[in-house]
Amino acid sequence: MLFLCMLACFISAATTTTATASLQPQVSIPPISIPPITITPITFTPISIRPVSIPTITPVSLDLHLPTPTCIGTITPDANGYVPPGTCHALYKFYPSFAAAVVFSILFGAATILHIFQAAVHKKPFCWVIIMGGLWETVSFITRTLGTRAQQNSALALISELFVLLAPLWINAFDYMVLGRMIHFFLPPHSIFRIPASTLAMYFVSLDIVSFVIQLVGGAMGGPGSPPEQIMKGVHIYMGGIGLQEFFIMIFLGLAVKFHAQMLGMEKRGELVSNGKERWRWLLWTLYASLALISVRIFFRLIEFSAGTDSSNPLPYHEVYFYAFDAVPMLLALTTMNIVHPGRVLVGPDSELPRVCCGKRRVAKSMKTVKTVEYDDEKEFLGDVV
């Protein structure tokens, strides 16, 4: 019943709405005319774009320039610390001989002790120079002996190398001092080429010191354990030092030959016998021998270092060359001065050089004494000189 009532209400509402709509008036909408729109064309001015050249971009290198390995991976050292050359921590290019180092330590030590004794007996203070040369050689071979049993110890290797490289300069300087004293002792004018003996000795010892400093710098830079680049730089500096040393020796040898010629002339005239100074020949030949032995050692070092440090050069890789051309020549240079010691030949007041730093009065007095001796004993020679 309720449903019927709701349906009747819905039908009644729909009928009312339809009737209302039919009663509204009709509206007419007139047509609207839209005028045509003219679009003006737009002209665009052409734009020229210049070509742009793009530079070639080099790819960035990612190389960090790290140092390349200079040695092969570490090998376990033997009981003495030895590792083969080219491996890390290798300080020697050969297996150093303990026995040879001991023998040469004893020989150099004995020759040095004998020089100390001879200097004291003959009262020759200037012999301290050759004593220093012997001591440096002895220290070098003692540290070398210790180094053969501790081949990883870079301090022992460096000390041994520096002392053996520089010790010959002391013996070289002693040769300069000996010839200066021989000129002052044997030649009446106490000079050669108008150069006073004391000045001559001082000049050459000073040049020897210059060579010493250069070799010291090079030897320290190229010591065991240094980087390869630094070693090569040190080697070149050291070669320059010993080359300079040999140049000075050659000039000095010319002076020695001049002295030799003058002594032969005096000997023919009988002047040496009358003065009691005939024992000159052995000492001069000993001086020649010492200079020759030092030169052998210098040429060996120049050849060794100039050929490089790699395995293509056999000299640094075989210890026998070092003993044959460095240790033996320097031992002979030291011992020949033991056999023919200057103190046995240079005896008397003229055997020592006058000091050139003690004022003009002492030098003038010395010159006056020389002139008196020349006038009394060698009038003819003095007349020729004046």
Side-chain angles (χ1 to χ4, degrees), residues 106-254:
I106 295 172
L107 292 176
F108 274 111
T112 303
I113 292 173
L114 183 56
H115 268 294
I116 295 173
F117 173 77
Q118 290 174 318
V121 170
H122 297 295
K123 298 179 180 180
K124 296 298 178 184
F126 79 98
C127 289
W128 72 270
V129 178
I130 196 169
I131 292 171
M132 287 295 294
L135 284 175
W136 281 39
E137 292 282 3
T138 305
V139 169
S140 173
F141 282 95
I142 290 175
T143 53
R144 191 183 188 91
T145 302
L146 299 175
T148 60
R149 292 294 186 259
Q151 297 182 34
Q152 295 292 307
N153 192 320
S154 59
L156 289 175
L158 179 61
I159 292 172
S160 176
E161 182 172 351
L162 278 180
F163 275 77
V164 81
L165 290 177
L166 300 176
L169 287 160
W170 290 103
I171 302 175
N172 197 169
F174 183 73
D175 291 343
Y176 295 154
M177 299 171 75
V178 168
L179 182 63
R181 281 160 174 77
M182 291 181 71
I183 293 171
H184 183 78
F185 184 73
F186 288 106
L187 299 183
H190 304 301
S191 64
I192 192 167
F193 288 122
R194 297 185 179 181
I195 304 174
S198 56
T199 305
L200 184 72
M202 181 182 65
Y203 284 163
F204 275 95
V205 170
S206 300
L207 294 174
D208 198 57
I209 293 173
V210 172
S211 177
F212 178 90
V213 172
I214 296 173
Q215 294 181 41
L216 176 63
V217 173
M221 290 181 62
S226 302
E229 297 81 6
Q230 182 176 329
I231 290 177
M232 289 308 301
K233 187 175 181 180
V235 164
H236 292 155
I237 294 175
Y238 180 79
M239 288 176 62
I242 58 176
L244 198 63
Q245 180 186 359
E246 183 61 27
F247 175 71
F248 297 151
I249 288 176
M250 298 305 293
I251 296 176
F252 181 77
L253 186 60

Side-chain angles (χ1 to χ4, degrees), residues 258-278:
K258 172 65 176 176
F259 170 77
H260 196 163
Q262 289 189 239
M263 291 299 293
L264 290 175
M266 293 176 64
E267 193 174 53
K268 286 182 180 180
R269 294 191 296 270
E271 297 173 2
L272 297 178
V273 176
S274 61
N275 293 336
K277 297 180 179 181
E278 66 275 7

Side-chain angles (χ1 to χ4, degrees), residues 1-10:
M1 191 67 177
L2 179 61
F3 175 74
L4 293 175
C5 289
M6 291 177 64
L7 182 60
C9 290
F10 178 76

Side-chain angles (χ1 to χ4, degrees), residues 66 91 95 141 194 196 209 218 220 223 225 247 271 286 310 317 328 335 338 368 370 379:
L66 296 175
L91 300 178
Y95 203 108
F141 282 95
R194 297 185 179 181
I209 293 173
F247 175 71
E271 297 173 2
T286 301
D310 55 10
Y317 288 85
V328 170
T335 54
N338 286 127
K368 183 177 180 180
V370 170
K379 294 182 180 180

